Amino acid sequence: MTTELLVPQEKYLESGIHIGTKLKTGDMKPFIYKTRQDRLYVLDLKKVDERIRYAAKFMQRFNPKEVVVVASRTYAVNAAKVFCSLTGCRIRAERFVPGLFTNPSRPDFAEPKLVFVCDPKSEKQAVKEAAVMGIPVIGLCDTDNSTAFLDWVVPCNNKGKKSLALIFYLLAREFLKQAGSVQTDADFTVPLEKFEEGAEEQAEPPVKEAEAPVAEPAPEPEKKPKRKKAKKKEAEGEEEAGGEEAPPAA
């Protein structure tokens, strides 16, 4: 028996939810449908649809107040906030502070029963801490993501504004249907555009992970004898900033 897609295929295609990157990890190989001529990988829409559907069903099993959605990317923040306002889930927007799930002495310490991340690469600290604490994790994964420590993968374009808006729109609709708050798709009256609002105002150039600030040149010390060798250590220890290297494809 063939299950209908959550939205018409054309709607998926318009959002670009299936367009991946030019990188592919072995973890994501099972979700890739083909490679375009421009070397971009294309995700299997049927698998995208199936996994959004199940993710919403799985999330609904938990008390919404015990579900934390971590959104660090600009385009994910607004869509995730709208989702959380509709479902009652908690949002952790922008930077994830280390120790949030593992350090009880923190004033903002959280003990979720389920964690949802919008990009396992940008939000790897949240994924690691959830794994340490034995908390299941759902992750939106592009073709260049590792799925380590994730319990459920939703393959998708996790960088595009329209893609992320559609994902959270569908998650909210299906979540509320599972909860019995709405009976049919038509009963869910929140427009898709609501999940896109604010993205333009928030847009900013992407920030490289772990980017180290450029040090200002130190002032010239007063002339003292025999200090030439000491300056060699000042430049040591700097690490080049950059994204996490994708694991080799299987």
Side-chain angles (χ1 to χ4, degrees), residues 183-195:
Q183 301 301 316
T184 66
D185 293 352
D187 294 334
F188 185 71
T189 57
V190 182
L192 173 59
E193 290 73 22
K194 181 72 174 176
F195 292 80

Side-chain angles (χ1 to χ4, degrees), residues 121-188:
K121 186 185 294 185
S122 299
E123 293 138 20
K124 60 184 177 183
Q125 183 65 28
V127 174
K128 289 180 180 178
E129 291 192 16
V132 168
M133 302 304 293
I135 305 168
V137 182
I138 296 174
L140 301 181
C141 295
D142 212 327
T143 60
D144 60 347
N145 280 125
S146 165
T147 64
F149 305 116
L150 298 183
D151 297 273
W152 188 252
V153 173
V154 178
C156 63
N157 172 354
N158 63 8
K159 302 171 182 64
K161 177 182 69 174
K162 290 184 178 295
S163 172
L164 287 162
L166 182 58
I167 290 165
F168 278 105
Y169 169 88
L170 292 174
L171 286 171
R173 191 187 74 187
E174 296 305 303
F175 183 100
L176 294 176
K177 282 168 64 178
Q178 290 289 329
S181 301
V182 297
Q183 301 301 316
T184 66
D185 293 352
D187 294 334
F188 185 71

Side-chain angles (χ1 to χ4, degrees), residues 66-103:
E66 296 178 327
V67 177
V68 171
V69 178
V70 182
S72 61
R73 286 186 174 275
T74 299
Y75 290 151
V77 171
N78 185 72
K81 283 182 176 178
V82 176
F83 169 82
C84 289
S85 70
L86 293 170
T87 61
C89 296
R90 297 163 62 192
I91 178 77
R92 172 57 60 171
E94 300 173 353
R95 182 175 180 268
F96 183 89
V97 181
L100 185 65
F101 296 157
T102 56
N103 185 357

